[in-house]
Amino acid sequence: MRIIGFTICLFVSYFGLFSQHADSCSPTISPSALSQRIANYTFEITLDHITHSLEGREWIEWKNLSSDTIRNIRLYMYLNAFKNNQSSYLKGSMMNVMGQDLSHRKDEDWGWVSVVEAFQNEKEITDMYYVQPTDGNPLDQSVLEIVLDQPILPGATLSLDMVIEAKLPRIISRSGFAEHGHHHFVHWYPKMGVYEQDKNGEWGWNCHQFLRQMEFYGDHGNYDVTIEHDASLTLGGSGCFEWYKEPVEGAKGRVSTRFNADDVIDFGWVASPNLLVHTEQWRHVEIRLLYPKIHKRLVPRLIDAALHGLEYMDKHVGEYPYSTLTILDPPVHGLRSGFMEYPTYITGGSFYAFPKGLRSLESLIIHEFAHQYFMQMVANNEKEDPWLDEGFVTFYEDCIMEDAYGDASLFDLLGYRVRNSSFTRNEYASLPNHSIGPIAVRSWDVRRDYKGIIYSKTATVLQTLKRYIGEEHFDEMMRNYFEQNKFAHPRKDDFVSAVLEEFERHPNILTPVIEEFLTDVLDGTKVCDYAVTNIFNGRTPPVSGLIDRTIEYKMSGLTSPGANYSSVRLERWGSLIVPVDVRINWSDGTVSEEMWDGKSTVFVMEFSRDARIVSAEIDPERKLFLDIDFNNNSISLQSDKGGIWKYAMRSIYWVQNAIQSTSFLM
Amino acid sequence: MKSIGNILFSGFTHRKLITTIYLLQFVMAITVGLQVYNVLDASIGNSLSINGLKYGNAHMVINDLLNTHGPSLSPVLGQARWMMLVYLIFAAFIHGGIWNSLIHTGAENAFWNGGATYFFKCLGCGMIWTFLLLIWSAVLWIPYISRITIWMEQWPSEAPILWIGVLIFFIWLIGVLIFFVASCYSKVFIIRDDRQVLKSVWKGLKTGIRQTFRVVPILLIFATATGVLYAIHAVIDDSRILASTIGIFILFFIQQLIVWIKIGLRISTYRYLLHRNV
């Protein structure tokens, strides 16, 4: 009987256990820790979706890896950016975020987060206050400083137990609630700042206030998040489910969901009714797409984009070590929660009846996915070095899109075709002032044209490097950079070292000036523009008079005066110096390839040949993607004007159509 | 089918009229075309980049051109804008000529005489209808456009917003059709019955409301035929075959043929409306 009873107990407990953990998973495919797991969080919270509020406990375990004894800690309290219109974030946004006027907002539409109680080793901490280390705005409450009861010695671990409360704002930007029960939780909890050495080697808290144009920065760690919520809500977020919607005893209609996310820098999640779930498996990764029913037709496109992203980054950069990727395609009323990246969780933005040839929704998914590599695994300081993630991700977005969708990767609509890289380059090339500022700059120091500089110019620099060194070596360079800096906080110098190493290993015409080039494009505001300004065919001129010292001559087998003589005049119109290839086409059908170091402002190439120069072109393979005007890179003496005629004729045709159409009532 | 074909092509019996109108439009459009040619030639005419212009749209070439030579293109756009305005006024003359030719078939110099005689009346009539169309468009579209962002935040789905837009478009289109038919009959009343502008407009409106729904199928056929012409052009324009010098001039010939046919279709529409015994 005892054996039977024991067997029944075993059976029941096994299946009890099994049902409890039916959905459990490992957040990563690695059996060991991928990161140093400096900041680890456990949450047990309750969501009241009617009042849009959270309450519960948060436990932080934080490792002091510095040589300092730490007496104060700093926590990000970023939800407080939406507490009132005096926060630094909203003041910096001029009361208008993503087209939303914030000057007439109801009290219940503001949001906040607070630490109700905090305990260190079961002893209550009472000394905590808001600090404003970035801009000194006394009304800003986005950083909380806590004076610890017991200092944390080097190598020791802080255990902090907090009772927290949070109320979501009506969504201003990403975090908040929207109509129809849509709730998006990002940067919603008190989160540890980063204790690190600054450029001078001094240890201290890197915990900036939340300003407009600023993103995030945190240490890697594990998140164990248990949320009690209404059963009607569909949940998704970073990491995987330990369990999903398990009934809560004694609370009708209430369920509990537990997430686990390991080796990540943050934890974001969504709770929304009426979202459908589509899952797809890619190798070890479960892609979980949450979408409104009306977007069903877009599911294959969104999944396809994610698959392309996973394939490409795995092949060209490194392994995606997580077991999940959650994508939120928000409903229209929750669109403000879209367009963003969180660890293993990204949000897109699409519309019903989105034309197939308009691939901005695929491009967005790929962009946000690429952030899993640059900002999540390679966790640069997004506030102080935004180019290290946004620029890199824009570059990879272009690469992936073109690899997946070809020449017309971004637009292929009504005969209008645009490649991603061409679009990105133009975002930079079309800036009214290309020297508005350097790339390597703190996010809040960018005055204007943030996207054009931080995203597009950086991506164009990377595209230039790739074209000079070749795809194979560029991939090797980025793989090395990724491997050396994943689960760490690289700075500019780490990237520069990776580039220098690779260019030294595989020399090309850019190698001799690569250091100067990187300094100029990252820290400087120099502009690149090379031009061919003249071609001459005739007889050798007699050399007489004074020769301008700023003009260099490259003599190529010149003979006596009166012999055949051809020359090409090359000019550098920008201040950025880059060696360039020059291709010359001759009347006898031959092609000569020359090289110019690009240093002088004017450079005349001279030749004495029986044939005449037909055309000359600087950088014919468009390696120097940073050049702001490719049209002036060449001159042809026998140019085929067919293209110009075609456009002139098109304009005649469309003017005829326009005057016919607009005059139908006259 | 045969009668639809007859209606569709009835205007093409007025080949001289079509050609006259075509030439007038061409003369106006070519001034812009030549300007475009000159600006492109002066700015990138010697560059090898222009080879890219022969194949579909050359995004990088055009963008670099706009970034660097944008200011030199603005006079062309300015000219095109003014030319459109001038043509709107000139169109009153053309329509006076067309309707006079259709009403007084066989009369000598009907087009030129009609244009000159009824210019001011047609201009007044056209201005009234254009003004009414602007009001009609504003009444329908401004409330919709101003509500879109609010609806996007409040409604559970964007589909109704889109479909309301589609519905408004069709309602707007019905209004446009009524205005079109009414404006045609207004001119008929001015030229055939020698009525005053306001009386013609009023009678035209009444006739338009009465007639439009009866002529909608035929108008849709005309619209479809025009749409087919645009589609044919889009396919041909996008073709890499017509990228050689000869190919580009063949394309130009096709473009001009399309413009000529469209004028013919417009005259067929007018003829059809005229012969409905109103």
Side-chain angles (χ1 to χ4, degrees):
Chain A
M1 235 359 240
R2 269 202 333 213
I3 293 172
I4 293 170
F6 176 75
T7 310
I8 290 168
C9 277
L10 196 70
F11 187 83
V12 168
S13 60
Y14 172 79
F15 281 99
L17 201 70
F18 183 78
S19 67
Q20 178 80 349
H21 295 281
D23 295 317
S24 70
C25 76
S26 302
T28 71
I29 53 167
S30 169
S32 55
L34 295 169
S35 67
Q36 290 181 300
R37 295 183 176 172
I38 294 170
N40 303 286
Y41 301 81
T42 303
F43 294 90
E44 276 181 15
I45 48 172
T46 305
L47 164 64
D48 183 342
H49 72 290
I50 306 297
T51 59
H52 320 295
S53 58
L54 284 175
E55 57 179 37
R57 291 190 97 89
E58 174 182 352
W59 292 270
I60 298 177
E61 294 234 318
W62 181 81
K63 293 176 194 163
N64 177 10
L65 297 185
S66 77
S67 54
D68 288 354
T69 297
I70 293 170
R71 292 181 170 79
N72 296 20
I73 60 164
R74 284 188 177 174
L75 298 167
Y76 296 117
M77 305 286 280
Y78 275 9
L79 212 52
N80 287 339
F82 310 115
K83 192 171 183 177
N84 54 53
N85 63 6
Q86 295 305 302
S87 71
S88 295
Y89 183 92
L90 291 184
K91 279 177 107 173
S93 67
M94 311 296 283
M95 300 308 290
N96 190 313
V97 181
M98 296 162 88
Q100 188 180 191
D101 182 9
L102 301 169
S103 45
H104 305 98
R105 205 169 165 83
K106 294 178 195 161
D107 283 351
E108 60 266 32
D109 287 347
W110 297 103
W112 43 265
V113 59
S114 70
V115 176
V116 181
E117 289 175 306
F119 303 89
Q120 185 186 11
N121 300 331
E122 296 182 358
K123 194 169 175 196
E124 187 167 3
I125 299 170
T126 52
D127 197 0
M128 54 178 108
Y129 44 85
Y130 289 105
V131 291
Q132 297 79 26
T134 315
D135 73 351
N137 170 15
L139 297 173
D140 187 72
Q141 299 185 344
S142 58
V143 176
L144 181 72
E145 182 154 318
I146 295 179
V147 181
L148 297 172
D149 188 55
Q150 295 153 34
I152 317 156
L153 299 173
T157 299
L158 161 74
S159 292
L160 201 61
D161 174 5
M162 296 186 289
V163 176
I164 60 165
E165 282 180 358
K167 151 87 174 58
L168 284 183
R170 184 176 288 276
I171 301 181
I172 293 173
S173 177
R174 276 86 189 215
S175 206
F177 71 90
E179 294 296 316
H180 311 288
H182 183 75
H183 292 78
H184 201 234
F185 297 86
V186 291
H187 309 291
W188 52 278
Y189 58 94
K191 180 185 170 184
M192 293 295 293
V194 177
Y195 198 76
E196 64 175 15
Q197 285 176 296
D198 63 16
K199 285 170 187 167
N200 303 319
E202 296 287 322
W203 285 92
W205 285 106
N206 191 316
C207 189
H208 288 290
Q209 294 162 250
F210 198 16
L211 307 184
R212 188 78 181 117
Q213 273 193 187
M214 186 185 263
E215 290 197 327
F216 313 101
Y217 188 38
D219 280 318
H220 290 92
N222 291 356
Y223 287 76
D224 182 345
V225 184
T226 307
I227 304 159
E228 188 199 309
H229 59 95
D230 193 86
S232 65
L233 299 169
T234 301
L235 263 65
S238 301
C240 59
F241 293 122
E242 192 64 30
W243 64 73
Y244 184 64
K245 286 187 160 187
E246 289 289 321
V248 174
E249 218 172 282
K252 200 181 169 195
R254 300 291 291 176
V255 290
S256 157
T257 294
R258 184 176 171 192
F259 291 88
N260 268 340
D262 289 355
D263 303 297
V264 292
I265 56 167
D266 196 6
F267 182 87
W269 55 290
V270 61
S272 186
N274 310 320
L275 284 179
L276 302 181
V277 180
H278 175 94
T279 56
E280 192 96 11
Q281 195 70 28
W282 178 85
R283 297 189 201 166
H284 58 276
V285 183
E286 185 192 66
I287 304 170
R288 192 164 180 264
L289 170 66
L290 284 77
Y291 65 98
K293 193 179 173 188
I294 196 78
H295 292 181
K296 194 171 176 61
R297 215 168 53 90
L298 301 172
V299 168
R301 291 176 60 181
L302 296 165
I303 291 290
D304 195 43
L307 291 172
H308 281 302
L310 281 158
E311 264 315 325
Y312 189 96
M313 294 303 276
D314 180 79
K315 186 178 167 192
H316 295 264
V317 181
E319 186 181 47
Y320 180 79
Y322 302 102
S323 60
T324 58
L325 172 66
T326 301
I327 304 169
L328 169 67
D329 180 27
V332 67
H333 48 269
L335 203 59
R336 289 178 193 280
S337 58
F339 315 98
M340 197 56 188
E341 69 279 2
Y342 310 97
T344 75
Y345 169 54
I346 59 176
T347 63
S350 64
F351 290 101
Y352 168 74
F354 212 78
K356 212 170 179 182
L358 189 58
R359 295 205 189 88
S360 53
L361 75 90
E362 283 93 341
S363 211
L364 176 63
I365 292 296
I366 285 170
H367 179 100
E368 307 307 353
F369 169 71
H371 271 298
Q372 300 307 316
Y373 286 76
F374 300 106
M375 117 352 190
Q376 159 40 33
M377 282 189 272
V378 179
N380 61 291
N381 187 330
E382 296 177 77
K383 302 157 189 294
E384 294 180 0
D385 297 305
W387 65 282
L388 275 175
D389 60 293
E390 291 301 352
F392 283 40
V393 160
T394 303
F395 167 77
Y396 277 109
E397 173 192 353
D398 295 348
C399 293
I400 297 166
M401 286 295 289
E402 286 168 20
D403 184 64
Y405 304 105
D407 275 352
S409 57
L410 188 57
F411 293 108
D412 190 0
L413 212 58
L414 303 169
Y416 187 67
R417 298 186 187 86
V418 182
R419 284 175 82 94
N420 277 70
S421 59
S422 167
F423 185 82
T424 300
R425 174 184 166 273
N426 189 54
E427 281 186 317
Y428 162 62
S430 62
L431 290 178
N433 177 5
H434 300 99
S435 303
I436 186 81
I439 289 175
V441 66
R442 299 184 306 183
S443 56
W444 61 97
D445 287 337
V446 180
R447 281 176 291 162
R448 273 202 305 275
D449 298 319
Y450 189 88
K451 189 153 192 284
I453 295 291
I454 300 297
Y455 289 62
S456 308
K457 186 179 174 189
T458 310
T460 308
V461 168
L462 290 174
Q463 195 68 251
T464 300
L465 291 173
K466 181 181 173 182
R467 287 165 184 234
Y468 267 92
I469 201 170
E471 186 176 11
E472 186 190 335
H473 300 317
F474 183 86
D475 285 352
E476 186 180 72
M477 177 183 96
M478 292 307 288
R479 271 195 292 267
N480 288 341
Y481 172 70
F482 174 72
E483 288 301 327
Q484 284 161 16
N485 296 289
K486 64 182 180 182
F487 306 107
H489 301 308
R491 310 294 300 231
K492 182 185 76 181
D493 291 346
D494 298 298
F495 173 66
V496 169
S497 303
V499 177
L500 294 180
E501 274 172 31
E502 195 67 24
F503 271 71
E504 220 163 85
R505 229 186 342 260
H506 304 288
N508 56 75
I509 61 167
L510 192 56
T511 302
V513 295
I514 186 67
E515 245 181 293
E516 194 185 344
F517 173 80
L518 290 174
T519 307
D520 287 343
V521 296
L522 300 180
D523 299 318
T525 57
K526 291 181 178 176
V527 177
C528 179
D529 189 11
Y530 284 100
V532 178
T533 55
N534 192 30
I535 291 174
F536 177 81
N537 290 300
R539 300 283 170 188
T540 313
V543 179
S544 62
L546 299 170
I547 296 172
D548 187 347
R549 288 290 158 201
T550 62
I551 300 179
E552 286 180 25
Y553 283 86
K554 179 180 178 182
M555 309 298 265
S556 175
L558 281 182
T559 52
S560 56
N564 285 337
Y565 170 81
S566 300
S567 70
V568 178
R569 185 183 168 95
L570 313 174
E571 294 187 13
R572 175 167 59 77
W573 291 0
S575 50
L576 186 72
I577 294 172
V578 192
V580 286
D581 297 314
V582 181
R583 180 177 292 163
I584 296 170
N585 287 298
W586 296 88
S587 56
D588 59 3
T590 56
V591 178
S592 56
E593 303 282 352
E594 307 287 333
M595 207 277 276
W596 175 31
D597 62 15
K599 286 180 181 166
S600 57
T601 50
V602 178
F603 180 60
V604 180
M605 284 184 169
E606 295 185 304
F607 306 91
S608 182
R609 287 178 56 165
D610 289 338
R612 299 159 69 82
I613 296 175
V614 174
S615 66
E617 187 169 19
I618 292 174
D619 186 29
E621 287 166 21
R622 300 288 183 260
K623 288 180 186 169
L624 188 48
F625 217 54
L626 268 172
D627 192 323
I628 56 165
D629 184 6
F630 285 146
N631 291 341
N632 65 12
N633 278 28
S634 58
I635 281 187
S636 172
L637 298 182
Q638 295 174 359
S639 61
D640 175 4
K641 310 268 177 169
I644 295 183
W645 276 118
K646 191 168 182 177
Y647 268 72
M649 289 164 180
R650 259 189 192 168
S651 58
I652 292 172
Y653 173 71
W654 285 114
V655 167
Q656 286 169 310
N657 279 288
I659 59 181
Q660 280 183 1
S661 307
T662 52
S663 64
F664 75 104
L665 289 180
M666 291 305 290
Chain B
M1 277 308 285
K2 197 181 170 189
S3 61
I4 289 174
N6 287 341
I7 292 167
L8 208 56
F9 296 112
S10 63
F12 291 91
T13 53
H14 301 266
R15 277 185 292 277
K16 201 174 153 190
L17 179 62
I18 297 170
T19 308
T20 306
I21 296 164
Y22 162 77
L23 286 173
L24 288 170
Q25 289 180 352
F26 181 75
V27 166
M28 300 199 92
I30 201 167
T31 57
V32 176
L34 289 175
Q35 275 271 59
V36 169
Y37 181 88
N38 288 335
V39 170
L40 288 177
D41 192 32
S43 48
I44 58 169
N46 291 319
S47 172
L48 289 170
S49 300
I50 59 171
N51 291 329
L53 297 178
K54 290 193 285 187
Y55 309 101
N57 90 292
H59 179 256
M60 206 130 73
V61 180
I62 294 297
N63 279 308
D64 282 1
L65 173 80
L66 293 173
N67 295 339
T68 315
H69 303 281
S72 57
L73 281 169
S74 44
V76 183
L77 295 174
Q79 186 191 342
R81 241 191 337 259
W82 279 111
M83 210 212 54
M84 300 264 285
L85 197 66
V86 169
Y87 185 81
L88 272 182
I89 297 165
F90 191 57
F93 178 90
I94 290 178
H95 278 113
I98 294 172
W99 284 109
N100 196 41
S101 303
L102 295 178
I103 291 166
H104 304 112
T105 319
E108 207 174 322
N109 288 329
F111 177 76
W112 300 104
N113 287 339
T117 311
Y118 301 108
F119 172 70
F120 287 106
K121 282 187 173 180
C122 284
L123 183 65
C125 178
M127 283 169 73
I128 290 169
W129 286 117
T130 306
F131 179 68
L132 289 173
L133 176 66
L134 288 176
I135 290 176
W136 174 244
S137 304
V139 164
L140 281 178
W141 289 111
I142 289 175
Y144 174 72
I145 290 166
S146 64
R147 299 293 297 177
I148 284 180
T149 47
I150 299 164
W151 288 341
M152 277 173 70
E153 297 202 348
Q154 290 178 345
W155 289 9
S157 154
E158 65 272 36
I161 303 172
L162 178 78
W163 289 114
I164 286 174
V166 172
L167 181 70
I168 291 175
F169 174 76
F170 279 109
I171 294 168
W172 176 79
L173 196 64
I174 289 167
V176 171
L177 287 178
I178 290 172
F179 288 152
F180 172 66
V181 174
S183 78
C184 290
Y185 284 125
S186 304
K187 282 163 218 153
V188 171
F189 298 139
I190 286 171
I191 294 166
R192 190 186 64 188
D193 307 339
D194 201 24
R195 282 175 182 264
Q196 290 304 304
V197 174
L198 284 176
K199 281 182 181 168
S200 304
V201 167
W202 178 241
K203 197 176 174 198
L205 183 63
K206 285 195 287 187
T207 316
I209 291 169
R210 206 169 50 243
Q211 289 288 326
T212 299
F213 293 98
R214 293 177 198 161
V215 298
V216 156
I218 293 298
L219 291 178
L220 285 179
I221 289 169
F222 281 116
T224 307
T226 308
V228 168
L229 289 174
Y230 277 126
I232 289 169
H233 175 261
V235 171
I236 294 170
D237 188 39
D238 203 29
S239 161
R240 296 183 78 88
I241 302 164
L242 298 180
S244 65
T245 308
I246 295 171
I248 287 166
F249 281 94
I250 291 172
L251 175 66
F252 180 63
F253 176 75
I254 294 169
Q255 286 172 339
Q256 294 309 307
L257 188 64
I258 288 172
V259 172
W260 191 88
I261 292 171
K262 278 179 64 196
I263 297 168
L265 286 174
R266 178 76 67 89
I267 290 172
S268 299
T269 315
Y270 291 163
R271 253 185 82 114
Y272 170 72
L273 292 175
L274 180 66
H275 293 127
R276 285 189 60 80
N277 294 324
V278 289

